[in-house]
Amino acid sequence: MVRAVALLPLSLLGASAISCSDPVPVAAQGNFSFQLGTNAAGAPSRCQLPNKVFGFGEPSTADPGKRTADGESGVSVSCKVRKQGDAYVVEGNVKKGADTFYVNSTDVDVTSGVGSALVVASSGASIGYETCTQLNCPGVTDPPFCTFEVISDQIRSGAVWAKVSCPMLVAPSEQSYCTASAVFVLENCEE
């Protein structure tokens, strides 16, 4: 019995050492404000929901707004911002309730902070818009990508504050073609 008692403090010490390992990573956080514009030039049909705005955290080009961490207040954030050669690669998916925003860019210039982007945004079951491609916009010749622009040089591996401007997004199920723009912040992202 003396032997078992002598090993108890060592086993507790071992458990303490294990619990003092690497710190828990900080959760990704973000926000977005998405706005449909008006009829897209060259589109085969009109914008059915002009000027519809949705998102959370109220980011703008003047203020990054309030960011919410993944898992807090019903928010889901997953993102990746990494420097790769002369460009940044940015991918983010931000969701709160029925409002979702996804952005993907592989060519954000390190110097100018400008690139192209694919965007998907939805609000509930009634609104779902995405960047036009040859597959989802068969009636559009050479569909344009969205323009990605970093705001106030705020990009580094793991974080970005940016806006996207889209000359044409489509809601494939309604064949509604709209211009659109969004401002968003992604932080504590995978690098």
Side-chain angles (χ1 to χ4, degrees), residues 11 36 46 70 96 98 172 178 186:
S11 64
L36 289 172
R46 303 176 59 81
D70 180 53
K96 181 173 185 180
C178 304
L186 301 169

Side-chain angles (χ1 to χ4, degrees), residues 95-179:
K95 180 178 181 178
K96 181 173 185 180
D99 295 343
T100 302
F101 176 74
Y102 171 81
V103 63
N104 185 345
S105 179
T106 59
D107 64 354
V108 179
D109 185 78
V110 170
T111 305
S112 69
V114 175
S116 61
L118 294 172
V119 170
V120 178
S122 61
S123 181
S126 61
I127 304 172
Y129 282 83
E130 58 193 63
T131 304
C132 276
T133 65
Q134 291 294 334
L135 294 174
N136 65 5
C137 295
V140 177
T141 305
D142 198 22
F145 281 110
C146 300
T147 300
F148 185 109
E149 295 178 72
V150 174
I151 298 170
S152 300
D153 296 321
Q154 295 298 306
I155 191 168
R156 62 175 169 72
S157 287
V160 64
W161 174 23
K163 68 178 181 176
V164 290
S165 303
C166 304
M168 184 183 299
L169 292 185
V170 63
S173 60
E174 291 88 27
Q175 288 302 298
S176 173
Y177 295 82
C178 304
T179 61

Side-chain angles (χ1 to χ4, degrees), residues 28 34 61 67 88 106 120 190:
F34 179 84
T61 56
R67 277 82 75 205
Y88 279 97
T106 59
V120 178
E190 181 183 327

Side-chain angles (χ1 to χ4, degrees), residues 47-124:
C47 180
Q48 295 178 17
L49 292 167
N51 305 310
K52 172 73 175 167
V53 178
F54 58 91
F56 69 98
E58 301 180 3
S60 69
T61 56
D63 182 351
K66 181 184 183 315
R67 277 82 75 205
T68 304
D70 180 53
E72 291 182 6
S73 303
V75 170
S76 172
V77 180
S78 62
C79 54
K80 184 185 318 181
V81 181
R82 90 171 41 121
K83 187 174 178 187
Q84 198 167 26
D86 292 337
Y88 279 97
V89 174
V90 177
E91 183 174 19
N93 194 19
V94 184
K95 180 178 181 178
K96 181 173 185 180
D99 295 343
T100 302
F101 176 74
Y102 171 81
V103 63
N104 185 345
S105 179
T106 59
D107 64 354
V108 179
D109 185 78
V110 170
T111 305
S112 69
V114 175
S116 61
L118 294 172
V119 170
V120 178
S122 61
S123 181

